[in-house]
Amino acid sequence: MRAIVLVGGEGTRLRPLTLCVPKAVVPVVNRPMMFYILNWLKSHGISEVVLSACYKPAMLKKVIGSSYRGMKIDYIYEASPLGTGGAVKRAEKYIDGTTVVMNGDILTSLDLSKMLKFHREKKSRATIALTPVSNPSAYGVVETGRGGNVLKFLEKPSPEEVAGKVLNINAGVYIIEPGMVALMKAGKVYSIERDIFPKFIGAGFFGFVSRNIYWMDVGTVAKYAKACRDILEGSYRVKGLETAGKGVKLGKGARAVKPFSIGAGTVVGDNSVIGELSVLGKNCIIGKNCMVERAILWDNVKIGDNCVLSDCVLAGGVKVGASSFISGETVLGEGTVLAPYSRLRG
Ligand code: GDD
Ligand code: MG
């Protein structure tokens, strides 16, 4: 079975992290986000994946490649964004039977196989995964009837409308039949959530509700940091997580406190402490007497001696001068250079 993954967005809420890389290849605990999605799809029997790209497609292809663990990976490109619906229409030639469509920024343990069974039992034309959340205004809120038929789809309701409520939201995973794309004209911009789903109500459109699953839309820096913590702590379970890559060196008196992840070739200077829930990318250099806590460093980051880093995200190639202090959800884009004695609080 085939899955189409929408990865064309610019990831604006993840800036500056997405200024140089598309969201799908943002490293989540030292592994591109897309690899978690591909592993999940594979575990549910998907054999072919089509990535619907727009923003920084060349980098996406370079990192993800044309196959992954035996799954074939194809790409389709949009010169300018066609929206989540227009992108699905553009993938029309790949939708020749029951097809999975999903957002490319979802980390989840949702049981896709069970959802597929539900889709077939209901003879559904489109099935949407739903999960309850307590702050639903950032999502599509979906009401269903007794048999799971969708009654209402409201994309991004105002906070006042949904204040204090736990509601089922669109979890960003759909199973569709070819008929859905016939509703759209090629080359036109459509939002699947605003323009297409509401039209499906009452016409064989079902919601598949999953409770007590792991589900995260990695759309903001806060959620990105939370997803990394969840993986390290095991609340989102993933296989083959590497604690320390090849050639990692800890200097004299230096230590790392679990859970952490340190990429290959990273060197930690004497007496430095890598505190729990830290992620260091590949080939980073941490100076002497540093304290790193709950910090996420991408590849090739260099930290001078006597620095304190906590609760921050530093993209690739960032250089921090000695005796600097960075805390409070600071986020630094690729290649940022900070002078010694810098003090930053997010
Ligand atoms: N190819 C393509 N073209 N992909 C796009 C485009 C486009 O024009 N616009 C967005 N995407 C991709 C993004 O890269 C992302 O993977 C996915 O579509 C969803 O876009 P987001 O920008 O992340 O949407 P959202 O998180 O605000 O809301 C969506 O996801 C929620 C669940 O995570 C909606 O589907 C909500 O209804 C839903 O609850
Ligand atoms: Mg999203």
Side-chain angles (χ1 to χ4, degrees):
M1 181 175 251
R2 203 177 270 139
I4 294 162
V5 186
L6 305 177
V7 289
E10 286 185 43
T12 53
R13 289 162 293 172
L14 271 175
R15 284 179 186 157
L17 302 175
T18 43
L19 290 178
C20 295
V21 296
K23 186 154 62 167
V25 308
V26 160
V28 178
V29 189
N30 286 326
R31 204 187 268 181
M33 171 138 63
M34 185 50 56
F35 288 174
Y36 294 88
I37 293 175
L38 294 175
N39 285 335
W40 176 72
L41 288 170
K42 174 150 176 93
S43 74
H44 290 288
I46 299 294
S47 55
E48 273 184 49
V49 175
V50 179
L51 297 182
S52 163
C54 187
Y55 180 66
K56 300 199 180 292
M59 178 176 285
L60 184 77
K61 192 161 186 197
K62 192 172 154 214
V63 176
I64 311 294
S66 54
S67 71
Y68 180 77
R69 293 184 58 213
M71 289 190 288
K72 183 170 181 278
I73 317 274
D74 277 338
Y75 294 81
I76 35 175
Y77 305 104
E78 289 149 56
S80 65
L82 289 173
T84 46
V88 176
K89 176 73 179 176
R90 199 167 170 79
E92 191 163 15
K93 71 166 179 175
Y94 292 101
I95 308 172
D96 51 7
T98 307
T99 304
V100 174
V101 174
M102 70 179 288
N103 292 342
D105 58 351
I106 305 293
L107 298 183
T108 186
S109 63
L110 190 142
D111 191 340
L112 182 63
S113 309
K114 217 166 152 189
M115 181 175 168
L116 200 56
K117 196 165 165 260
F118 172 91
H119 176 84
R120 290 193 170 125
E121 278 166 10
K122 295 282 176 189
K123 297 194 171 33
S124 177
R125 289 171 71 206
T127 302
I128 178 167
L130 307 177
T131 195
V133 303
S134 50
N135 241 333
S137 76
Y139 306 107
V141 172
V142 185
E143 271 177 41
T144 48
R146 284 219 173 146
N149 51 311
V150 174
L151 299 173
K152 200 170 166 192
F153 190 108
L154 186 59
E155 181 66 8
K156 313 243 161 79
S158 67
E160 300 80 60
E161 249 175 297
V162 291
K165 291 184 188 162
V166 176
L167 297 172
N168 281 332
I169 57 114
N170 166 16
V173 178
Y174 323 121
I175 298 173
I176 64 164
E177 295 299 323
M180 173 181 261
V181 278
L183 282 179
M184 296 180 267
K185 288 195 184 112
K188 231 183 122 184
V189 176
Y190 292 97
S191 154
I192 201 167
E193 300 86 351
R194 294 177 201 273
D195 305 323
I196 306 305
F197 285 147
K199 288 200 180 118
F200 260 57
I201 294 171
F205 183 22
F206 290 88
F208 173 77
V209 182
S210 304
R211 297 180 183 86
N212 307 317
I213 54 164
Y214 184 83
W215 184 85
M216 177 74 76
D217 167 335
V218 190
T220 62
V221 176
K223 286 180 184 159
Y224 166 69
K226 173 86 170 76
C228 292
R229 280 201 299 274
D230 290 345
I231 290 169
L232 288 173
E233 284 176 327
S235 47
Y236 177 48
R237 278 199 214 135
V238 294
K239 284 188 192 148
L241 200 67
E242 205 172 46
T243 300
K246 269 191 195 156
V248 167
K249 282 189 198 131
L250 293 188
K252 239 168 102 189
R255 64 198 170 92
V257 186
K258 280 185 180 168
F260 62 84
S261 170
I262 304 182
T266 284
V267 176
V268 178
D270 295 351
N271 300 315
S272 284
V273 177
I274 307 303
E276 57 181 8
L277 299 172
S278 294
V279 178
L280 310 186
K282 280 189 233 134
N283 301 316
C284 292
I285 298 173
I286 311 293
K288 294 176 188 162
N289 308 311
C290 290
M291 179 70 205
V292 179
E293 277 182 318
R294 297 177 305 276
I296 300 167
L297 277 50
W298 293 12
D299 297 345
N300 306 310
V301 170
K302 288 199 175 104
I303 309 293
D305 296 341
N306 308 311
C307 288
V308 175
L309 308 182
S310 65
D311 301 289
C312 53
V313 184
L314 276 46
V318 167
K319 290 193 177 81
V320 176
S323 304
S324 293
F325 187 94
I326 304 180
S327 69
E329 285 149 35
T330 294
V331 187
L332 299 179
E334 185 173 305
T336 304
V337 178
L338 293 182
Y341 295 97
S342 292
R343 302 183 76 79
L344 280 182
R345 241 187 294 158

